[in-house]
Amino acid sequence: MRIDLHCHSTASDGTDTPAELMRNAAAAGLDVVALTDHDTTRGYAEAIAALPEGLTLVTGAELSCRIDGIPMHMLAYLFDPEEPALLAERELVRDDRVPRAKGMVAKLNELGVPVTWEQVERIAAGGSVGRPHVATALVELGVVPTVDDAFTKDWLADGGRAHVDKHETDPFEAIRLVKAAGGVTVFAHPAASRRGRTVPESAIAEMAAAGLDGIEVDHTDHDADTRVRLRGLAAELGLLVTGSSDYHGSRKTVSLGRYTTDPEVYGEITRRATGAFPVPGTGGP
Ligand code: AMP
Ligand code: FE
Ligand code: FE
Ligand code: ZN
């Protein structure tokens, strides 16, 4: 069983539509794929409608959080997408992404970059708008050669010249909200140091005590030593360990199924969840 529990579509900052993502996941030989767009569940319906036979969809989202000024991402799986409190929090975060992106456009204009909100809006194409869309605009304008090159202090990295904060949820509140909606939480890429400051182990221990289910260990932003350290931490704290690609289509270089999750861990996630069930593909109507 090949299980990839972290993928993005055009519902946020990926480049495959949800339907393309499902077809590509099947073509990559996956048995289970999770759709985890940033702060949104908008891709679910299209993904379910396009789900090929033999592929199972785990519905989810990647929630933007912040602890002690440090941004972090919380993966949430198999929660009830209609549950009002979690839905309201997702909307709050997602809606705040628009003025925030406009703020980054304004800062870029001040730096002499002729990017417009219309351009960013076109690139985001109705998805949950984020820095990768602004970064794509910078590539189009020839300001930087690649999306990754826009994530520096010169441009869009945390604290960078054109960076603007967005509303982000306290992770303890996220754990509480997801649980109340019947979902399971996994701290995404907890030691991705190239993105900036990372959350201390003491805070991860507090999250574990507050009901965090797992941490994502096998991820492209973790080197071999970091994975060993995180596995040890997970064992100590009784957390599940996942691995996943964090696929973003052509906006990042990682391919579907590059890292995967152990079937036993996947089984435990599905046993703990009560808000939604994995959707088996039937090959369409
Ligand atoms: P946002 O949610 O708008 O703050 O953007 C965060 C997204 O930007 C992440 O989900 C990644 O897709 C991308 N990202 C963050 N840091 C980097 C980085 N150092 N290099 C490339 N992409 C990044
Ligand atoms: Fe992303
Ligand atoms: Fe993330
Ligand atoms: Zn992600």
Side-chain angles (χ1 to χ4, degrees), residues 6-8 12-13 36-38 62 73 75 188-189 195 216 219 245-248 252:
H6 184 169
C7 300
H8 296 269
S12 65
D13 56 6
T36 53
D37 277 306
H38 297 287
E62 189 176 17
H73 291 167
L75 290 160
H189 44 74
R195 299 181 188 214
E216 191 180 50
H219 183 282
S245 65
D246 200 356
Y247 176 74
H248 280 69
K252 287 192 178 180

Tab-separated table of all heavy atoms in Angstrom, residues 6-8 12-13 36-38 62 73 75 188-189 195 216 219 245-248 252, ligand 4:
chain	number	residue	atom	x	y	z
A	6	HIS	N	-0.341	14.193	2.065
A	6	HIS	CA	-0.204	15.660	2.068
A	6	HIS	C	-0.005	16.142	0.632
A	6	HIS	O	1.091	16.022	0.088
A	6	HIS	CB	0.996	16.030	2.959
A	6	HIS	CG	1.227	17.485	3.164
A	6	HIS	ND1	2.120	17.956	4.100
A	6	HIS	CD2	0.715	18.592	2.560
A	6	HIS	CE1	2.154	19.274	4.070
A	6	HIS	NE2	1.307	19.691	3.134
A	7	CYS	N	-1.066	16.667	0.013
A	7	CYS	CA	-1.008	17.126	-1.386
A	7	CYS	C	-1.874	18.363	-1.573
A	7	CYS	O	-2.936	18.479	-0.971
A	7	CYS	CB	-1.531	16.046	-2.338
A	7	CYS	SG	-0.617	14.509	-2.260
A	8	HIS	N	-1.419	19.234	-2.458
A	8	HIS	CA	-2.143	20.481	-2.744
A	8	HIS	C	-2.659	20.494	-4.180
A	8	HIS	O	-2.014	19.960	-5.089
A	8	HIS	CB	-1.221	21.679	-2.519
A	8	HIS	CG	-0.779	21.816	-1.100
A	8	HIS	ND1	-1.464	22.572	-0.187
A	8	HIS	CD2	0.252	21.257	-0.423
A	8	HIS	CE1	-0.872	22.486	0.989
A	8	HIS	NE2	0.183	21.686	0.882
A	12	SER	N	-5.791	25.513	-3.519
A	12	SER	CA	-4.873	26.433	-2.823
A	12	SER	C	-3.692	26.700	-3.743
A	12	SER	O	-3.899	27.230	-4.851
A	12	SER	CB	-4.470	25.927	-1.436
A	12	SER	OG	-3.702	24.740	-1.482
A	13	ASP	N	-2.460	26.339	-3.332
A	13	ASP	CA	-1.305	26.765	-4.118
A	13	ASP	C	-0.647	25.636	-4.924
A	13	ASP	O	0.499	25.751	-5.332
A	13	ASP	CB	-0.278	27.475	-3.226
A	13	ASP	CG	0.163	26.621	-2.043
A	13	ASP	OD1	-0.235	25.437	-1.966
A	13	ASP	OD2	0.908	27.144	-1.200
A	36	THR	N	-5.002	18.076	0.912
A	36	THR	CA	-4.784	18.919	2.095
A	36	THR	C	-4.466	20.343	1.662
A	36	THR	O	-3.359	20.833	1.854
A	36	THR	CB	-3.626	18.368	2.948
A	36	THR	OG1	-2.470	18.199	2.080
A	36	THR	CG2	-3.978	17.039	3.598
A	37	ASP	N	-5.443	20.999	1.057
A	37	ASP	CA	-5.204	22.375	0.620
A	37	ASP	C	-5.159	23.313	1.821
A	37	ASP	O	-5.758	23.056	2.861
A	37	ASP	CB	-6.279	22.787	-0.390
A	37	ASP	CG	-5.917	22.307	-1.787
A	37	ASP	OD1	-4.803	22.633	-2.241
A	37	ASP	OD2	-6.719	21.573	-2.394
A	38	HIS	N	-4.446	24.435	1.644
A	38	HIS	CA	-4.291	25.403	2.721
A	38	HIS	C	-5.632	26.034	3.079
A	38	HIS	O	-6.231	26.750	2.260
A	38	HIS	CB	-3.319	26.512	2.314
A	38	HIS	CG	-1.915	26.054	2.051
A	38	HIS	ND1	-1.066	25.674	3.050
A	38	HIS	CD2	-1.213	25.910	0.899
A	38	HIS	CE1	0.108	25.321	2.523
A	38	HIS	NE2	0.043	25.455	1.210
A	62	GLU	N	-4.698	21.741	5.326
A	62	GLU	CA	-3.498	22.164	6.056
A	62	GLU	C	-3.804	23.539	6.645
A	62	GLU	O	-3.996	24.504	5.901
A	62	GLU	CB	-2.275	22.212	5.114
A	62	GLU	CG	-0.961	22.436	5.861
A	62	GLU	CD	0.264	22.382	4.938
A	62	GLU	OE1	0.110	22.493	3.702
A	62	GLU	OE2	1.390	22.238	5.468
A	73	HIS	N	2.269	24.761	10.304
A	73	HIS	CA	1.125	24.201	9.585
A	73	HIS	C	0.619	22.950	10.286
A	73	HIS	O	1.408	22.086	10.664
A	73	HIS	CB	1.531	23.843	8.142
A	73	HIS	CG	1.815	25.042	7.309
A	73	HIS	ND1	2.441	24.979	6.082
A	73	HIS	CD2	1.544	26.357	7.513
A	73	HIS	CE1	2.538	26.192	5.570
A	73	HIS	NE2	2.005	27.052	6.429
A	75	LEU	N	-1.771	19.733	9.758
A	75	LEU	CA	-2.594	18.913	8.875
A	75	LEU	C	-3.774	18.378	9.660
A	75	LEU	O	-3.617	17.943	10.802
A	75	LEU	CB	-1.767	17.748	8.305
A	75	LEU	CG	-0.698	18.171	7.298
A	75	LEU	CD1	0.365	17.084	7.151
A	75	LEU	CD2	-1.320	18.500	5.940
A	188	ALA	N	2.523	19.391	10.449
A	188	ALA	CA	3.222	19.282	9.160
A	188	ALA	C	4.670	19.767	9.274
A	188	ALA	O	4.951	20.734	9.984
A	188	ALA	CB	2.496	20.113	8.103
A	189	HIS	N	5.562	19.092	8.574
A	189	HIS	CA	6.994	19.477	8.494
A	189	HIS	C	7.447	20.304	9.706
A	189	HIS	O	7.819	21.470	9.562
A	189	HIS	CB	7.294	20.211	7.177
A	189	HIS	CG	6.266	21.252	6.779
A	189	HIS	ND1	6.142	22.459	7.396
A	189	HIS	CD2	5.298	21.239	5.824
A	189	HIS	CE1	5.167	23.161	6.855
A	189	HIS	NE2	4.627	22.435	5.903
A	195	ARG	N	12.441	27.253	6.154
A	195	ARG	CA	11.330	28.196	6.086
A	195	ARG	C	11.412	29.266	7.171
A	195	ARG	O	10.609	30.170	7.217
A	195	ARG	CB	9.990	27.466	6.228
A	195	ARG	CG	9.754	26.444	5.137
A	195	ARG	CD	8.424	25.781	5.327
A	195	ARG	NE	8.253	24.669	4.404
A	195	ARG	CZ	7.093	24.316	3.875
A	195	ARG	NH1	6.009	24.996	4.168
A	195	ARG	NH2	7.014	23.293	3.066
A	216	GLU	N	4.605	14.904	11.043
A	216	GLU	CA	5.081	14.511	9.722
A	216	GLU	C	6.614	14.478	9.788
A	216	GLU	O	7.240	15.502	10.048
A	216	GLU	CB	4.597	15.557	8.708
A	216	GLU	CG	4.764	15.199	7.262
A	216	GLU	CD	4.234	16.319	6.376
A	216	GLU	OE1	4.594	17.498	6.566
A	216	GLU	OE2	3.446	16.007	5.472
A	219	HIS	N	9.699	14.101	5.069
A	219	HIS	CA	9.280	15.271	4.280
A	219	HIS	C	10.538	15.848	3.664
A	219	HIS	O	11.613	15.811	4.271
A	219	HIS	CB	8.584	16.287	5.201
A	219	HIS	CG	8.039	17.506	4.504
A	219	HIS	ND1	8.839	18.556	4.103
A	219	HIS	CD2	6.775	17.828	4.125
A	219	HIS	CE1	8.077	19.469	3.511
A	219	HIS	NE2	6.820	19.051	3.510
A	245	SER	N	4.503	13.679	0.492
A	245	SER	CA	5.244	14.453	-0.509
A	245	SER	C	5.081	15.959	-0.340
A	245	SER	O	5.964	16.721	-0.703
A	245	SER	CB	4.775	14.055	-1.910
A	245	SER	OG	3.415	14.426	-2.105
A	246	ASP	N	3.937	16.424	0.182
A	246	ASP	CA	3.623	17.864	0.163
A	246	ASP	C	3.663	18.351	-1.300
A	246	ASP	O	4.204	19.416	-1.600
A	246	ASP	CB	4.597	18.646	1.049
A	246	ASP	CG	4.080	20.008	1.462
A	246	ASP	OD1	2.992	20.412	1.013
A	246	ASP	OD2	4.797	20.679	2.232
A	247	TYR	N	3.081	17.520	-2.157
A	247	TYR	CA	3.065	17.793	-3.600
A	247	TYR	C	2.329	19.095	-3.905
A	247	TYR	O	1.249	19.348	-3.364
A	247	TYR	CB	2.365	16.616	-4.286
A	247	TYR	CG	2.143	16.723	-5.781
A	247	TYR	CD1	3.202	16.567	-6.671
A	247	TYR	CD2	0.858	16.936	-6.287
A	247	TYR	CE1	2.980	16.624	-8.032
A	247	TYR	CE2	0.636	16.987	-7.656
A	247	TYR	CZ	1.701	16.838	-8.526
A	247	TYR	OH	1.479	16.895	-9.873
A	248	HIS	N	2.939	19.925	-4.758
A	248	HIS	CA	2.323	21.188	-5.200
A	248	HIS	C	2.284	21.261	-6.724
A	248	HIS	O	2.242	22.359	-7.289
A	248	HIS	CB	3.112	22.392	-4.679
A	248	HIS	CG	2.847	22.786	-3.244
A	248	HIS	ND1	3.225	22.022	-2.169
A	248	HIS	CD2	2.230	23.880	-2.704
A	248	HIS	CE1	2.876	22.643	-1.037
A	248	HIS	NE2	2.271	23.761	-1.343
A	252	LYS	N	6.458	23.121	-7.125
A	252	LYS	CA	7.579	22.590	-6.340
A	252	LYS	C	8.103	21.366	-7.080
A	252	LYS	O	7.428	20.835	-7.958
A	252	LYS	CB	7.130	22.220	-4.929
A	252	LYS	CG	6.870	23.429	-4.044
A	252	LYS	CD	6.718	23.031	-2.598
A	252	LYS	CE	6.500	24.270	-1.741
A	252	LYS	NZ	6.358	23.916	-0.323
B	4	ZN	ZN	1.589	21.655	2.326
